[in-house]
């Protein structure tokens, strides 16, 4: 019952809400979920830094990656 749309479809099938209301609630729930994903992703990327992939910095990149994996 936690998946997006299950509550809305169940309410529609039980006759508690009409189709238009179910669609409206589904749209709102989907939009809210997408916003939560965007917030989560944005916060995950805040700690990352761009690295220069040039050959002369390959060792430095490998070191930084291994340090992050150990954390």
């Amino acid at each position: 019952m936690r998946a997006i749309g299950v509550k809305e479809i169940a309410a529609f099938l039980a006759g508690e809400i009409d189709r238009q209301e179910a669609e409206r609630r589904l749209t709102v729930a989907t939009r809210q979920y997408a916003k939560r994903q965007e917030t989560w992703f944005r916060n995950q990327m805040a700690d990352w830094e761009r690295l220069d992939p040039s050959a002369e910095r390959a060792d430095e990149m490998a070191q930084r990656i291994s340090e992050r994996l150990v954390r």
Side-chain angles (χ1 to χ4, degrees):
M1 292 294 286
R2 291 179 45 182
I4 294 175
V6 172
K7 288 189 298 188
E8 293 80 5
I9 292 171
F12 170 69
L13 293 175
E16 298 169 3
I17 59 176
D18 63 12
R19 181 183 174 137
Q20 287 180 329
E21 180 62 14
E23 289 175 357
R24 187 192 69 75
R25 290 182 186 184
L26 277 163
T27 301
V28 169
T30 302
R31 188 177 307 122
Q32 289 172 340
Y33 182 68
K35 289 172 93 172
R36 285 193 305 270
Q37 286 181 316
E38 289 174 355
T39 300
W40 179 87
F41 188 71
R42 187 173 38 254
N43 289 332
Q44 295 301 307
M45 298 305 289
D47 191 32
W48 291 35
E49 62 182 87
R50 293 216 175 252
L51 299 175
D52 180 7
S54 61
E56 57 271 2
R57 295 202 50 209
D59 289 338
E60 180 184 348
M61 288 174 53
Q63 180 64 32
R64 288 184 179 190
I65 291 169
S66 67
E67 287 171 2
R68 288 187 185 272
L69 291 175
V70 171
R71 286 185 197 175

